[in-house]
Amino acid sequence: MREDYFVVGEGLLSFGERREPTCRRPSTAAELRKFRFSRLGPKGRQLDEEVRAALAEAMVAGQSADSDPAVPAGFTYLGQFVDHDLTMDATAAALGSEVTVDDLLQGRSPALDLDSLYGRGPDDRNDRRFYADDGLHLRSGATVGVPGDAETIQDRDGFDLPRAGTGSSKRERQAAVVPDPRNDENLAVAQLHLAFIRFHNRVVDELASRRLSGPALFRAARDTVVKHYQWMLRTDFLPRIVAPEVVDDVFTNGRRFFEVAPGYEHRGRDRWVKPGDRPTMPIEFSVAAYRLGHSMVREVYQWNRVFNSTPGNQLPAGTLELLFRFSGTSGNLSPDGELDDPESGSLERLPSNWIADFRRLFDFREAGRDDLVVPTTEAVPGLNLARRIDTLLVDPLRNLPLGSFGDRDARPPAIERNLAFRNLTRAGMVELASGQQMAELLDVAPLKPDEILHGAGGATLDQLSAEQQAELTGNTPLWFYILRESEFNHGRLDGVGARIVAEVFHRSMQGSRTSILREPAWRPTFGPDRETFRMVDLLLFAFQGKAELLNPLG
């Protein structure tokens, strides 16, 4: 969990033990390399702690409905993967080594260029460990076989993230060898990262068959992967979570509010730069609007053939707690031991019975592959759906594992493990604008007080006192406000939230080293046609379209 923000034009916002913000100029080399945030709206004022705590408890007290129109649950964790890509600083690991000014500015700026997958590339001395010996393919890891049946008892190569395997502590040995350790903070995002590793490796093999080789092959593969990724985000991911008419407006007519005219200059092959004018990340996006995914999280997932809710099954379904447990950053990868103690537990690699069944996370009927559909029964759905985007979070997010947000040795007060409280407090710490302030800035009709209080199927606020309700309706935290907006738009971001997210995605895509926005004639080649490339198409290509790879447990 980020403890400070370098806000361009303001300075370094940091927070003391009492969570009181201070702002100062960065003074050390490390501080000067902080990720670059900006402020889109005016400053706001924080709700007092009692109101924040009451609101946070209300947000984890109910049960949200499934998304309608249906959004497969895998998109929840694709959103998390994208967040890590946007905020990944590829230069951080190179502290003390030579980094050009262009690289430094790019690394500290939001971009949709898969730095969280590639790091600084196979030629970098710190990051070559992410790559196979040929310097072309990305490494993957092997699961460890566990008792059960013929499918689970064997080690399975290529179905876990690569892990260190060495070190004086279990925490070190189980650590994923990937550029961004956040992509191993729960099992769902870890398995998605693995899918992207497989996608890159298949693209390398495909381009090698066209007689490319060496560094030119790697550059071509990375360029191809990033462009397909951006096309998928623009055409498949964003319209599922943001009002499609807003997405179309921004990507057709351009941005209206955020870094409207950056003025890029072309400087040779694949280089579009203007010194000092790299994209920034609005804190309104990072601290509020893009935290929409927290409301999409399910409490329980039908994970694979072994872990599901089928009547008579002796093993549990994939609860959220178990998805944290079977990760290297938040858990211990083991069925035994303490969740918050990475030194406990008997395993240091993912057990084979926890490999994802991607048929249960994405809907392959979209690609005409009915053979990759898990049948739905009266008792158990075949496809997990994301929860509707609204003001409710599932109960397990009331008590986050320590490894998911900071020091596992810390023992914070119970309320500080509540994700809703953490989000609301973080917004106050950076003096984030309220929903009403941002609606005025973005020229959006504001929600009425009655709509803020009662919503449309989201959190019930009856337990707040009349004074607390009055404070909330006059100064609504931006994150809560954006989620309330979504309740009136069938669980898609609308109004303030839609405009912020669409414009930041557009700017980040434009500011990436590789960008489909700067090559408008580019079209995907690994989908069913020249206009289509969805997340299911990425998975089909990555796993060779084979059921035994998308669902290796049968």
Side-chain angles (χ1 to χ4, degrees):
M1 186 71 73
R2 189 176 294 274
E3 295 298 330
D4 51 36
Y5 294 79
F6 175 67
V7 180
V8 174
E10 296 184 26
L12 190 67
L13 294 179
S14 55
F15 314 101
E17 291 184 2
R18 299 182 63 183
R19 298 297 186 187
E20 295 173 351
T22 61
C23 187
R24 58 184 173 82
R25 292 179 62 84
S27 58
T28 68
E31 288 177 348
L32 285 168
R33 298 168 74 113
K34 292 289 184 184
F35 194 86
R36 300 169 71 239
F37 289 88
S38 59
R39 191 182 296 275
L40 178 60
K43 289 186 176 182
R45 60 182 176 84
Q46 179 167 248
L47 297 176
D48 67 46
E49 184 167 340
E50 185 177 347
V51 179
R52 280 183 280 123
L55 181 57
E57 287 297 325
M59 294 182 74
V60 295
Q63 180 67 56
S64 180
D66 284 343
S67 51
D68 184 16
V71 177
F75 285 99
T76 305
Y77 298 95
L78 176 62
Q80 184 180 21
F81 178 88
V82 171
D83 174 62
H84 297 167
D85 181 34
L86 279 168
T87 57
M88 169 70 181
D89 180 358
T91 71
L95 191 62
S97 61
E98 292 185 6
V99 180
T100 67
V101 172
D102 277 351
D103 282 348
L104 184 60
L105 287 171
Q106 180 72 40
R108 294 166 56 239
S109 301
L112 290 165
D113 52 15
L114 290 173
D115 275 348
S116 59
L117 181 69
Y118 292 113
R120 288 171 53 80
D123 294 331
D124 182 84
R125 65 180 182 181
N126 294 300
D127 289 2
R128 65 182 56 147
R129 62 200 175 100
F130 307 134
Y131 294 83
D133 291 341
D134 63 7
L136 299 172
H137 294 83
L138 288 161
R139 290 176 55 200
S140 60
T143 61
V144 59
V146 291
D149 54 36
E151 282 77 26
T152 67
I153 201 168
Q154 57 185 303
D155 295 2
R156 288 185 171 268
D157 192 32
F159 288 96
D160 188 17
L161 296 176
R163 300 196 179 275
T166 61
S168 59
S169 67
K170 182 174 182 291
R171 183 193 307 218
E172 293 172 333
R173 295 189 296 273
Q174 74 182 26
V177 184
V178 295
D180 194 334
R182 295 176 298 175
N183 280 352
D184 192 28
E185 69 182 21
N186 67 66
L187 181 55
V189 75
Q191 291 280 284
L192 270 176
H193 187 106
L194 179 67
F196 275 88
I197 289 174
R198 282 179 168 267
F199 181 59
H200 165 84
N201 290 345
R202 278 225 64 206
V203 171
V204 168
D205 294 340
E206 176 68 20
L207 297 184
S209 69
R210 303 176 190 178
R211 299 188 178 179
L212 284 173
S213 62
L217 172 55
F218 175 77
R219 288 193 300 268
R222 178 171 182 168
D223 181 83
T224 301
V225 168
V226 169
K227 287 175 180 174
H228 279 81
Y229 166 66
Q230 291 178 355
W231 188 276
M232 178 269 292
L233 295 180
R234 159 67 183 93
T235 62
D236 189 26
F237 174 65
L238 278 178
R240 294 178 189 266
I241 63 169
V242 177
E245 62 272 18
V246 177
V247 176
D248 290 341
D249 175 56
V250 170
F251 279 83
T252 301
N253 302 313
R255 301 182 303 279
R256 292 172 50 200
F257 299 97
F258 176 56
E259 295 183 355
V260 176
Y264 271 78
E265 300 172 355
H266 187 218
R267 292 190 178 181
R269 184 180 182 276
D270 294 333
R271 288 176 61 78
W272 294 71
V273 297
K274 184 174 181 182
D277 199 21
R278 297 288 185 182
T280 59
M281 171 70 75
I283 53 176
E284 294 84 359
F285 175 91
S286 178
V287 181
Y290 202 60
R291 301 197 174 210
L292 62 97
H294 295 163
S295 72
M296 298 171 69
V297 173
R298 298 185 65 86
E299 186 170 4
V300 175
Y301 295 86
Q302 310 304 321
W303 186 249
N304 58 24
R305 175 181 60 80
V306 179
F307 294 99
N308 61 70
S309 302
T310 300
N313 190 8
Q314 299 300 308
L315 294 171
T319 64
L320 192 56
E321 179 183 348
L322 288 172
L323 296 192
F324 281 124
R325 172 178 286 276
F326 288 97
S327 70
T329 299
S330 299
N332 63 5
L333 293 172
S334 306
D336 54 335
E338 295 295 325
L339 174 62
D340 287 330
D341 181 6
E343 299 305 315
S344 67
S346 55
L347 303 180
E348 297 178 1
R349 289 182 285 151
L350 181 70
S352 294
N353 58 359
W354 276 99
I355 297 171
D357 179 353
F358 280 105
R359 305 172 310 154
R360 299 173 186 263
L361 296 174
F362 294 93
D363 189 354
F364 289 92
R365 289 174 297 187
E366 297 169 8
R369 290 293 301 271
D370 289 356
D371 59 309
L372 295 176
V373 175
V374 180
T376 292
T377 68
E378 190 172 324
V380 181
L383 176 67
N384 295 287
L385 297 180
R387 293 300 190 193
R388 186 181 73 141
I389 299 173
D390 59 20
T391 53
L392 288 169
L393 277 64
V394 295
D395 184 76
L397 297 180
R398 182 198 301 268
N399 188 38
L400 290 172
L402 293 173
S404 67
F405 64 84
D407 184 2
R408 285 182 164 189
D409 297 325
R411 289 295 178 265
I415 190 64
E416 292 188 10
R417 297 182 73 160
N418 181 316
L419 180 57
F421 180 81
R422 295 184 70 83
N423 286 347
L424 295 167
T425 299
R426 186 65 38 136
M429 288 160 60
V430 298
E431 300 176 285
L432 203 64
S434 68
Q436 290 84 356
Q437 288 175 297
M438 291 305 297
E440 181 178 2
L441 175 74
L442 301 178
D443 194 25
V444 172
L447 293 178
K448 300 178 177 64
D450 184 66
E451 292 174 323
I452 293 169
L453 282 181
H454 301 293
T460 300
L461 305 181
D462 296 343
Q463 65 272 43
L464 274 68
S465 68
E467 292 78 9
Q468 290 174 333
Q469 291 182 4
E471 183 176 0
L472 181 66
T473 55
N475 179 36
T476 311
L478 183 57
W479 176 56
F480 183 86
Y481 184 96
I482 286 170
L483 296 179
R484 235 3 165 205
E485 281 184 324
S486 300
E487 294 174 10
F488 295 96
N489 190 40
H490 307 289
R492 281 192 178 111
L493 294 192
D494 197 16
V496 170
R499 178 60 57 174
I500 293 173
V501 169
E503 294 208 1
V504 170
F505 265 75
H506 184 274
R507 179 68 173 114
S508 299
M509 205 173 288
Q510 180 192 55
S512 299
R513 281 178 292 259
T514 298
S515 173
I516 60 173
L517 297 183
R518 297 198 304 271
E519 295 186 43
W522 182 87
R523 290 296 182 272
T525 56
F526 296 130
D529 57 58
R530 297 283 290 174
E531 297 295 328
T532 307
F533 188 75
R534 303 153 297 198
M535 188 61 197
V536 290
D537 299 313
L538 186 150
L539 291 168
L540 286 169
F541 189 79
F543 291 92
Q544 304 172 48
K546 297 179 178 179
E548 61 267 28
L549 297 179
L550 288 160
N551 171 38
L553 298 188

